[in-house]
Amino acid sequence: MDTKPAPALQQQRSGMEQNDRLDALQAQFGIIGRVSLEQGRNDLPLVRLNGRHGQALVSLEGGQVIDYTPTGQPPLLWLSQQSRFQPATPIRGGIPICWPWFGDHPDHPQLPAHGFARISRWQLLETRVEGDSTYLQLGLDSSAESRALWPHDFQLRLSICLDQQLTLTLSSRNTGGRPFTITEALHSYFRVGDIEQLTIHGLEGFSYRDKLQSLQEKTQVGDLRISAETDRVYLDSASTVRLSDSSLQRQIHVAKRGSLSTVVWNPWDQKARAMVDFDDQGFRQMVCIETANALSNRIELAPGTSHQLSCILSSEAG
Ligand code: TA6
């Protein structure tokens, strides 16, 4: 196992080369009025999806949705203004892809937290439009660099559908000759008006592991309100979570398929200040509700088999 810090999992490109490449991607994948390529901060390539019901912005660096704004509403996702937008560096906010491990690597804590998918350059594979639905598919396959971090062969596909909701499906396929185990998360950062005016429904009665108290097992009693640092992994739960935001007068629904864990995280003030890419007061306008398979909900994949993890995000005023 390579114990050096994670190598940058993509080649640096010159400015000109990047522009040429973006033009080529636009020519191959652009769809007038619905899909376009653009350069984000530090020239990172972004794919903008448009539709009657909203718009979304996806970074090829990390395969990460960084904006989702339903028509007539404020953005649904939170994105730190301090995010660094550098290659091989996690983007703080949106929907990071945590794969092939959630949290610290179980045996090698010096490896990148939340795995390497979110610090890799994903390939743009397909775009298409069907009526009001706009589709995008990204891919990340095993490589010499990834094998240096995790000695398995895989094929990852992220399918994104923008219509009346935003659906992400992360498909993991074992293309090697040995079984492997993954933990994973669509680590969604939701934008709220005021964290202390938010009620989280749908987790009552489920047991969770409290990451702030050595993974102590507890049970959720009633709805969840957040008024301090919170970092919990709810287990064996396939339920939809509803965020009732009385500040923005909005209900957000986080439905899921192929996921038995739901992670709830807010760093609160001290942790937020300690993170250079996290706005000091940003914790007041965000909460992470993560669609995951973590801890005992890990996934074993035999050679030639695959697993799909989906989150379906929707919202309405009220
Ligand atoms: O999902 C919750 C969590 O695991 C927290 O413990 C915190 O570490 C958060 O993810 C953010 O992790 P990151 O590596 O993106 O700073």
Side-chain angles (χ1 to χ4, degrees):
M1 172 65 68
D2 180 338
T3 55
K4 293 193 298 296
L9 296 185
Q10 68 270 313
Q11 304 304 320
Q12 291 301 331
R13 291 186 180 284
S14 71
M16 280 305 291
E17 192 179 332
Q18 280 180 340
N19 285 331
D20 292 348
R21 185 161 163 68
L22 207 65
D23 291 346
L25 288 174
Q26 177 66 40
Q28 185 177 358
F29 296 103
I31 301 174
I32 293 172
R34 303 293 292 274
V35 180
S36 59
L37 275 289
E38 56 188 67
Q39 255 162 350
R41 274 160 46 187
N42 299 322
D43 295 338
L44 292 186
L46 306 176
V47 186
R48 185 172 295 280
L49 305 180
N50 280 299
R52 196 155 68 90
H53 302 288
Q55 64 172 309
L57 196 55
V58 184
S59 166
L60 294 185
E61 190 66 31
Q64 192 161 333
V65 176
I66 58 173
D67 176 66
Y68 167 44
T69 303
T71 302
Q73 287 190 37
L76 202 79
L77 300 174
W78 180 85
L79 182 69
S80 170
Q81 294 312 306
Q82 313 304 321
S83 200
R84 285 166 286 182
F85 286 98
Q86 296 288 348
T89 306
I91 297 170
R92 176 69 65 192
I95 308 177
I97 306 289
C98 302
W99 196 93
W101 58 85
F102 175 79
D104 289 335
H105 187 287
D107 306 316
H108 302 280
Q110 77 281 7
L111 291 179
H114 290 319
F116 50 77
R118 68 172 181 168
I119 54 174
S120 300
R121 178 63 60 89
W122 288 58
Q123 298 305 312
L124 184 44
L125 299 179
E126 182 194 356
T127 56
R128 88 174 181 280
V129 166
E130 287 174 12
D132 288 342
S133 301
T134 309
Y135 295 88
L136 170 67
Q137 188 181 70
L138 306 180
L140 181 70
D141 293 351
S142 48
S143 63
E145 290 87 353
S146 69
R147 280 187 288 271
L149 297 171
W150 192 62
H152 297 289
D153 287 319
F154 63 86
Q155 195 178 70
L156 266 188
R157 293 293 178 266
L158 179 66
S159 300
I160 299 172
C161 175
L162 170 69
D163 51 26
Q164 293 92 327
Q165 51 204 12
L166 184 73
T167 303
L168 276 68
T169 297
L170 180 69
S171 179
S172 309
R173 173 171 291 280
N174 182 345
T175 55
R178 295 178 296 130
F180 61 54
T181 299
I182 58 171
T183 51
E184 57 184 353
L186 300 172
H187 192 299
S188 306
Y189 287 73
F190 292 96
R191 183 172 182 271
V192 298
D194 176 354
I195 187 68
E196 297 192 89
Q197 296 186 51
L198 178 75
T199 305
I200 300 171
H201 306 267
L203 294 169
E204 53 277 11
F206 285 103
S207 73
Y208 65 91
R209 294 306 186 101
D210 189 338
K211 290 179 68 176
L212 303 179
Q213 292 194 322
S214 311
L215 291 179
Q216 207 177 67
E217 185 165 358
K218 301 177 181 178
T219 300
Q220 180 61 38
V221 177
D223 297 332
L224 173 58
R225 306 280 302 241
I226 294 180
S227 56
E229 182 182 358
T230 303
D231 195 349
R232 303 176 175 185
V233 182
Y234 290 80
L235 292 168
D236 305 325
S237 161
S239 67
T240 294
V241 167
R242 175 166 63 88
L243 300 178
S244 183
D245 181 345
S246 56
S247 170
L248 288 181
Q249 286 297 298
R250 173 158 74 173
Q251 305 291 315
I252 296 177
H253 304 273
V254 186
K256 60 183 191 172
R257 291 189 294 265
S259 160
L260 283 180
S261 313
T262 298
V263 182
V264 179
W265 178 58
N266 184 293
W268 215 253
D269 56 351
Q270 197 175 347
K271 271 277 175 67
R273 276 200 304 275
M275 290 183 278
V276 292
D277 61 350
F278 206 113
D279 314 308
D280 284 358
Q281 291 301 310
F283 71 94
R284 296 190 180 285
Q285 282 83 38
M286 60 69 68
V287 66
C288 283
I289 303 292
E290 304 160 37
T291 303
N293 288 300
L295 300 178
S296 56
N297 292 141
R298 61 185 170 277
I299 300 287
E300 319 264 338
L301 271 187
T305 65
S306 63
H307 168 80
Q308 281 75 39
L309 169 71
S310 297
C311 68
I312 304 99
L313 311 181
S314 60
S315 61
E316 76 265 349

